[in-house]
Amino acid sequence: MDAELNDALAELRDLLLDGERLVSASAGGRRKGQEAPEPTRIRPVTVKGRELLQLETADAAGRPIVRNVEATAVEELLARPYANWHVVTTDATVAVRITKKGKAFVHRTAEGGERVTSHDRVKSHLLAPDDPLFAAVGADAAKRRQVDRFLTLVDGKLGTDGAPLHVVDFGCGNAYLTFAAYKYLSGVRELDVTVTGVEIREEQRVHNNAVAEKLGYAAGMHFVADTAAEADLPGADIVLALHACDTATDEAIARGVRLKAAHIFAAPCCHHDIAEQLKGAEAPGPYGALVADGILRERFADTLTDALRALLLRSLGYEVEVSEFIASQHTPRNSMIWARPARTPAALRTAARVEYDTLVEQWGVRPKLAELLETA
Ligand SMILES: C[S@@+](CC[C@H](N)C(=O)[O-])C[C@H]1O[C@@H](n2cnc3c(N)ncnc32)[C@H](O)[C@@H]1O
């Protein structure tokens, strides 16, 4: 093993076993050629007088799984091929990044955190709700939580090869996610990242660029006023869209496909387009009850729209997951479509297309995403 990596792991071991100073830690990403270990957050807890470590992982739907373990579990954690470690102690923060060549880079700052060891689970965050960034951009508690959960999902999917990344956030509005993504990816993960926010409203562009300037981020991020469909972009490695209105989500996904983005993360907003098309249309028998009442039609339209988006992407060979990125009490618009180009066998692509064609024919709908992809 590389001597620097050995030293870095020894430093991490000392910090994780420091029963007086450890505040929290997180480990994620995977080293080149290794299987991805599950992203894990760690914090010290005292249970019935015993000092333990609380490990938090997530199930397939992103729901937290928490277990308390003895400190000896640190050895097993350090043996996993994580590419990134981030440890906060009472007086310092240490980030370790392991490159694809197996070299370890250690970044230390003198910024510490507050130790909480009560058994009650404290919510862990990539960016804490009291991070000064949120105050600077003016995000309320609900948005802070959405942004943090959204970024957590991004964090778990991103590779760690350290290549420069261009992230585009479509329909960025006040750019809470855009700024948080830049701060987290460049500051915490130390990636070479540039971020573009695309927003149809010119006044938002002016406002967001001014905030970027004020925060000292202007060298790494900028905003353009245009539609997601037409914004002039040099490319995109990562596409984000958090509640981009109605078919703006389709525009973002289609741009992601056209720009050959490595990842598309879209948490859709309202789905008026298909809901309108279902109104008054004849439902295929015996499914009339699904669309007879307004609220059921709306919910069914949500489901049908996202199912058709997923099928279209799968028919293009994408690996797709549709999941819940945050609990519904924080926002009813809590689904997330994640997609990345994959080497899907032709038979599966064809099967997805057949299923798509059958659904649109039976329900008599014309999804916006298909139109955008066909003109792509
Ligand atoms: C519900 S807001 C969400 C804003 C932000 N992503 C957030 O989560 O706070 C949707 C934003 O998308 C913008 N928008 C609507 N249609 C768009 C389009 N076709 N292209 C780009 N932005 C669009 C709206 O102006 C609005 O700011």
Side-chain angles (χ1 to χ4, degrees):
M1 190 188 292
D2 180 83
E4 283 166 358
L5 176 55
N6 232 344
D7 290 349
L9 292 176
E11 181 171 353
L12 286 172
R13 181 179 296 108
D14 287 348
L15 296 173
L16 292 169
L17 294 176
D18 191 327
E20 308 228 305
R21 289 166 64 227
L22 179 67
V23 173
S24 65
S26 62
R30 73 180 162 89
R31 288 180 218 158
K32 192 173 181 235
Q34 309 263 16
E35 217 155 282
E38 56 182 352
T40 303
R41 292 167 195 283
I42 303 153
R43 75 176 188 99
V45 281
T46 306
V47 183
K48 294 185 186 148
R50 284 166 65 214
E51 291 192 1
L52 301 172
L53 291 175
Q54 186 170 87
L55 307 187
E56 182 182 324
T57 53
D59 68 11
R63 286 178 290 254
I65 303 170
V66 173
R67 64 199 169 92
N68 298 329
V69 297
E70 299 286 346
T72 46
V74 163
E75 285 312 320
E76 194 265 322
L77 287 166
L78 288 171
R80 295 183 190 171
Y82 288 117
N84 295 296
W85 277 92
H86 185 81
V87 184
V88 181
T89 69
T90 48
D91 54 6
T93 296
V94 177
V96 175
R97 178 168 67 83
I98 295 130
T99 67
K100 59 182 174 187
K101 290 190 176 147
K103 288 226 157 297
F105 286 94
V106 183
H107 182 75
R108 302 175 187 85
T109 62
E111 219 174 295
E114 195 186 331
R115 214 171 125 85
V116 182
T117 58
S118 69
H119 179 46
D120 296 339
R121 192 169 68 84
V122 286
K123 287 197 177 67
S124 43
H125 305 273
L126 289 189
L127 289 180
D130 59 356
D131 191 295
L133 176 87
F134 288 123
V137 299
D140 64 17
K143 202 39 102 174
R144 291 173 193 211
R145 220 171 267 133
Q146 290 167 33
V147 164
D148 187 69
R149 294 286 96 195
F150 193 115
L151 272 185
T152 302
L153 207 139
V154 173
D155 189 49
K157 297 286 187 195
L158 274 196
T160 54
D161 62 5
L165 281 181
H166 181 208
V167 178
V168 182
D169 182 11
F170 288 105
C172 66
N174 279 317
Y176 310 124
L177 176 65
T178 336
F179 284 112
Y182 182 70
K183 174 161 186 175
Y184 178 71
L185 295 175
S186 66
V188 179
R189 291 231 7 205
E190 298 184 324
L191 297 170
D192 178 2
V193 68
T194 50
V195 177
T196 303
V198 176
E199 162 59 47
I200 201 166
R201 288 174 293 150
E202 166 65 10
E203 70 273 19
Q204 284 291 173
R205 180 193 71 80
V206 173
H207 170 80
N208 292 336
N209 274 329
V211 175
E213 194 74 49
K214 196 170 109 197
L215 290 168
Y217 291 173
M221 62 190 306
H222 82 294
F223 293 86
V224 294
D226 209 335
T227 64
E230 288 171 350
D232 186 15
L233 295 162
D237 301 302
I238 312 285
V239 160
L240 311 179
L242 172 56
H243 299 160
C245 312
D246 197 7
T247 53
T249 294
D250 298 297
E251 293 178 26
I253 295 173
R255 286 309 294 278
V257 170
R258 207 177 315 166
L259 293 167
K260 300 190 171 28
H263 294 269
I264 299 170
F265 298 90
C269 196
C270 40
H271 295 70
H272 298 312
D273 190 39
I274 296 277
E276 276 303 308
Q277 294 180 41
L278 289 174
K279 215 177 195 172
E282 204 175 316
Y287 303 118
L290 288 179
V291 290
D293 299 285
I295 182 66
L296 293 181
R297 185 169 57 245
E298 239 175 67
R299 289 180 182 170
F300 177 65
D302 286 1
T303 303
L304 184 60
T305 306
D306 287 339
L308 291 171
R309 286 168 172 157
L311 282 172
L312 266 175
L313 287 163
R314 287 183 182 124
S315 76
L316 294 176
Y318 278 72
E319 178 186 357
V320 182
E321 283 173 14
V322 184
S323 62
E324 206 178 71
F325 75 100
I326 188 169
S328 59
Q329 72 260 33
H330 303 305
T331 168
R333 298 291 176 201
N334 66 342
S335 56
M336 165 75 78
I337 299 171
W338 166 73
R340 73 165 165 206
R343 289 199 192 96
T344 313
L348 290 181
R349 280 187 269 144
T350 307
R353 183 70 208 198
V354 169
E355 203 178 335
Y356 170 86
D357 288 340
T358 309
L359 272 174
V360 292
E361 197 200 315
Q362 290 199 345
W363 286 97
V365 291
R366 298 170 314 284
K368 185 74 180 170
L369 182 58
E371 184 192 307
L372 292 166
L373 289 172
E374 271 146 28
T375 54

